Amino acid sequence: MERKFNKQQKQHVRTGDTVEVIAGNSKGKRGKITEVNAEKQRVVVEGVNIQKKHVKPSAQNPQGEIREFAGSIHISNVMLVDPATGKPTRTGRKENDKGKLQRFSKETGKFI
């Protein structure tokens, strides 16, 4: 019998973070995270992985159109940009002065 656990792991990035893509076709691009899907471990970064969708003509849109939108990429392919240095950094978690877990930069050691 196979057991499945619903506990989701904490992610190293959140909505609103500035990240740099470290793998794939969009490698080297930077952008803000607009959406995080923790269940599928995917993020949507603005200006990255642009896809096109052809929309048929309708009553509201008699001409039809080609819509461009940002597709999702795997969370392991992005790295958080340290606000202090402006470079991508690995992150960790440690307690701050108030005893709450907070992310910190592994390079500088400062809280993010």
Side-chain angles (χ1 to χ4, degrees), residues 44-97:
V44 177
V45 182
E46 61 184 28
V48 174
N49 192 18
I50 300 299
Q51 298 175 353
K52 293 184 179 188
K53 181 174 185 171
H54 294 256
V55 181
K56 279 183 152 182
S58 64
Q60 289 88 8
N61 188 5
Q63 201 62 29
E65 64 180 306
I66 300 173
R67 278 200 193 126
E68 289 189 352
F69 61 97
S72 67
I73 58 176
H74 198 269
I75 202 163
S76 66
N77 293 335
V78 296
M79 194 176 241
L80 184 69
V81 174
D82 190 357
T85 61
K87 294 180 180 178
T89 182
R90 293 178 302 138
T91 58
R93 295 174 188 282
K94 63 181 175 184
E95 289 186 3
N96 60 9
D97 302 336

Side-chain angles (χ1 to χ4, degrees):
M1 181 180 231
E2 196 174 317
R3 289 187 177 181
K4 289 188 178 180
F5 298 100
N6 291 337
K7 188 169 166 109
Q8 291 180 354
Q9 227 176 350
K10 288 266 189 178
Q11 308 298 330
H12 65 283
V13 289
R14 298 180 188 150
T15 304
D17 285 345
T18 302
V19 293
E20 184 171 317
V21 180
I22 58 171
N25 290 341
S26 302
K27 183 177 180 177
K29 288 187 181 178
R30 288 186 181 197
K32 276 197 171 183
I33 292 183
T34 57
E35 191 179 324
V36 176
N37 186 342
E39 196 174 292
K40 293 185 178 179
Q41 294 192 341
R42 296 185 78 78
V43 292
V44 177
V45 182
E46 61 184 28
V48 174
N49 192 18
I50 300 299
Q51 298 175 353
K52 293 184 179 188
K53 181 174 185 171
H54 294 256
V55 181
K56 279 183 152 182
S58 64
Q60 289 88 8
N61 188 5
Q63 201 62 29
E65 64 180 306
I66 300 173
R67 278 200 193 126
E68 289 189 352
F69 61 97
S72 67
I73 58 176
H74 198 269
I75 202 163
S76 66
N77 293 335
V78 296
M79 194 176 241
L80 184 69
V81 174
D82 190 357
T85 61
K87 294 180 180 178
T89 182
R90 293 178 302 138
T91 58
R93 295 174 188 282
K94 63 181 175 184
E95 289 186 3
N96 60 9
D97 302 336
K98 298 174 184 171
K100 188 173 180 183
L101 274 179
Q102 195 174 354
R103 295 182 300 173
F104 73 97
S105 168
K106 293 250 184 166
E107 289 186 25
T108 60
K110 296 180 181 175
F111 287 112
I112 297 173

